[in-house]
Amino acid sequence: MADADLDVVIRQLARQLHTGLLTRAKERRDRFNGLAAKAKGKETGDRFKMMAKATMEQATAAAKRLQMSADNVADSYARSMRLVASTPIPAKVEKKAKEKPVKKAAKSKKAKAKKAK
């Protein structure tokens, strides 16, 4: 995994999160369906069934958004790496020697000499 590209790692992690999210949602759905089966009244059973259905709908929507975001990030990373790899390296330009500034001490000595005269 050390040599793997990051876009592959991003997709793999998103896949793991996706399956974990749906597994937990199915467990919760099964719990609500079990409560619906044990419910004494029809209205309570219907409410639990509706909660089970809503849980799965919300979880699948969240999983789709998660997968889509991960795909976008992975594609963006891969695209930027291809762009960087195809960009030529600019040649180094030699730095020109800077002109040395005139020393202030020399100027001030000349100014003092003129004032003294």
Side-chain angles (χ1 to χ4, degrees), residues 21-106:
L21 177 64
L22 287 181
T23 302
R24 298 291 183 261
K26 288 176 184 177
E27 289 173 1
R28 189 158 190 130
R29 177 198 60 191
D30 293 343
R31 180 175 171 272
F32 285 135
N33 282 333
L35 290 172
K38 291 179 184 178
K40 300 210 177 194
K42 180 172 174 35
E43 184 180 315
T44 308
D46 289 343
R47 187 177 315 125
F48 280 126
K49 285 181 183 178
M50 191 169 49
M51 288 172 65
K53 183 179 178 183
T55 299
M56 282 307 294
E57 287 175 357
Q58 294 296 323
T60 53
K64 283 180 184 179
R65 286 193 303 270
L66 175 73
Q67 191 67 39
M68 197 178 319
S69 295
D71 285 340
N72 287 342
V73 169
D75 290 341
S76 177
Y77 175 79
R79 188 177 330 118
S80 65
M81 288 297 109
R82 280 194 306 269
L83 183 69
V84 168
S86 66
T87 304
I89 299 173
K92 286 188 174 181
V93 179
E94 292 183 27
K95 293 181 180 178
K96 295 181 180 178
K98 293 183 180 178
E99 293 180 22
K100 293 184 179 179
V102 179
K103 293 182 180 178
K104 292 181 181 178

